[in-house]
Amino acid sequence: MSLSTKNILGAKDLNKQDIQQILDTAESFKEISTRSIKKVPTLRGKTIINLFFEPSTRTRTSFEIAGKRLSADVINISGSTSSTAKGENLIDTARNLEAMNPDILVVRHNCSGASALLTQFIKCPIINAGDGAHEHPSQALLDLLTIRSHKGDLQGLKVAIVGDIRHSRVARSNIKAMQTMGMQVRVVGPPPLIPVELERLGVEVSSDLSKSIKDVDVIMVLRIQHERQNQMFLSSLREYSNYFCLTAEILAQARKDVLIVHPGPVNRGIEISLDVMEGPHSLILNQVTNGVAIRMALFYLLLGENNANPN
Ligand code: CP
């Protein structure tokens, strides 16, 4: 069974069967990363290019590790050290890279729609590794894998996504993917950081952190995305923290089995307190581990199972 899409541009393009298949495949790949020799020949002879125009620690490294664990050749290119610094545009850059016959292009860019634009010019599959404030589908998939690993089933779970929803591609991808999987999503934050259209999409909106986390299975905490704000949305970070930092005191009002996830990077003490971040409910590093398995699954499924022997 293959995915219904040739590219991974956004959670909006993935149906329930796609997401289930990606999560199941990722689950089966997890074990490879625990071996002493962490490599299988599945994608030997395939070439993957990671083209990153924005900073990244987790996404870029895990796409690279994922490709290498499947024996693909992986090439990393940063915007700042590519010929875009000499004036070449994104489309020409991608077309020149495609002329070297890669099998997949992974793209992170600060413009919403950058990956989708490239699909008009590039024949090989493209994975969107984050485009502006639009989507970050592989992050949503690894979040779902992490939640499913702990809860067993996603259907019917209640999630509160807390923070800067307006500027968050992680929130946007998660809301879509979670709704596709039958989860109930509530967003929590200061009203200026919550887009008005969300309520129309069936998302509950709240600005009361204590009240909104009481009955949820999962709390997803997001950082304030200063780099995407071109106007003042908050009077101060201290004020934001006073109302929206997830502290032990607030967490005490949540369910005993609540899970806490955060896509990273974390601003310690601003959106989450140190003790909660490192406490027993937190799955933050578990998410990072699962990021490798999800990206292995995406490469494997996009390049076609006939290429592959998962052992
Ligand atoms: N979660 C995430 O996208 O992290 P990076 O920016 O470090 O890749």
Side-chain angles (χ1 to χ4, degrees):
M1 202 168 52
S2 52
L3 298 177
S4 67
T5 173
K6 176 194 153 204
N7 304 293
I8 306 292
L9 300 178
K12 66 177 175 11
D13 304 322
L14 299 172
N15 60 37
K16 189 169 184 174
Q17 207 172 28
D18 290 330
I19 294 177
Q20 251 153 3
Q21 195 183 4
I22 294 166
L23 300 189
D24 291 346
T25 306
E27 197 64 57
S28 74
F29 277 139
K30 275 185 185 177
E31 181 269 329
I32 295 169
S33 293
T34 65
R35 298 180 190 175
S36 60
I37 310 284
K38 303 174 186 63
K39 202 183 255 301
V40 290
T42 312
L43 297 184
R44 194 167 48 202
K46 300 291 177 187
T47 303
I48 293 164
I49 298 183
N50 286 331
L51 180 56
F52 274 58
F53 290 93
E54 276 191 332
S56 171
T57 297
R58 284 147 286 269
T59 312
R60 178 170 152 164
T61 311
S62 59
F63 269 117
E64 180 176 358
I65 289 176
K68 288 181 170 169
R69 295 222 165 129
L70 295 173
S71 297
D73 297 312
V74 184
I75 290 89
N76 293 308
I77 302 176
S78 296
S80 58
T81 54
S82 76
S83 285
T84 54
K86 296 183 240 169
E88 188 169 56
N89 71 24
L90 173 65
I91 294 166
D92 286 337
T93 299
R95 289 181 70 212
N96 278 269
L97 293 173
E98 190 181 42
M100 297 180 227
N101 292 322
D103 296 285
I104 290 194
L105 212 51
V106 179
V107 181
R108 170 171 284 194
H109 201 279
N110 62 355
C111 291
S112 296
S115 296
L117 173 74
L118 289 182
T119 61
Q120 296 174 33
F121 300 91
I122 301 297
K123 288 190 199 70
C124 76
I126 294 181
I127 301 179
N128 175 12
D131 61 331
H134 180 225
E135 281 239 31
H136 191 353
S138 63
Q139 178 69 47
L141 290 163
L142 75 88
D143 294 337
L144 291 183
L145 180 65
T146 306
I147 296 166
R148 195 181 76 163
S149 301
H150 283 79
K151 293 288 185 189
D153 191 10
L154 296 173
Q155 177 74 37
L157 291 181
K158 284 189 188 162
V159 184
I161 305 180
V162 184
D164 181 359
I165 312 296
R166 176 184 289 274
H167 300 100
S168 174
R169 55 195 178 201
V170 174
R172 218 156 260 112
S173 288
N174 262 296
I175 289 168
K176 286 180 185 127
M178 285 172 173
Q179 288 186 327
T180 301
M181 299 312 286
M183 299 164 74
Q184 290 178 46
V185 186
R186 181 180 296 155
V187 294
V188 189
L193 293 181
I194 298 192
V196 285
E197 70 271 15
L198 282 184
E199 271 177 304
R200 281 203 307 274
L201 300 174
V203 176
E204 206 183 309
V205 174
S206 170
S207 53
D208 184 332
L209 181 59
S210 303
K211 220 157 99 182
S212 60
I213 60 153
K214 281 196 167 110
D215 61 340
V216 298
D217 302 287
V218 182
I219 306 171
M220 174 174 288
V221 186
L222 303 174
R223 75 184 169 92
I224 301 291
Q225 307 243 324
H226 296 289
E227 72 275 27
R228 300 195 203 288
Q229 299 189 10
N230 51 15
Q231 56 175 287
M232 284 291 287
F233 284 92
L234 297 170
S235 49
S236 74
L237 273 185
R238 181 180 297 201
E239 191 179 309
Y240 175 82
S241 271
N242 284 343
Y243 290 99
F244 294 102
C245 183
L246 187 62
T247 60
E249 194 185 344
I250 290 177
L251 188 61
Q253 300 175 58
R255 290 172 48 152
K256 296 278 168 283
D257 61 350
V258 73
L259 305 177
I260 296 170
V261 292
H262 187 313
V266 173
N267 293 142
R268 287 168 175 244
I270 304 290
E271 68 269 16
I272 188 167
S273 66
L274 181 61
D275 51 351
V276 174
M277 177 185 166
E278 299 193 345
H281 298 273
S282 171
L283 300 176
I284 296 174
L285 293 180
N286 197 250
Q287 289 171 268
V288 179
T289 303
N290 286 335
V292 174
I294 279 293
R295 284 146 185 153
M296 289 168 81
L298 292 177
F299 288 148
Y300 174 71
L301 292 167
L302 288 178
L303 289 176
E305 292 113 293
N306 18 344
N307 289 304
N309 164 12
N311 303 309

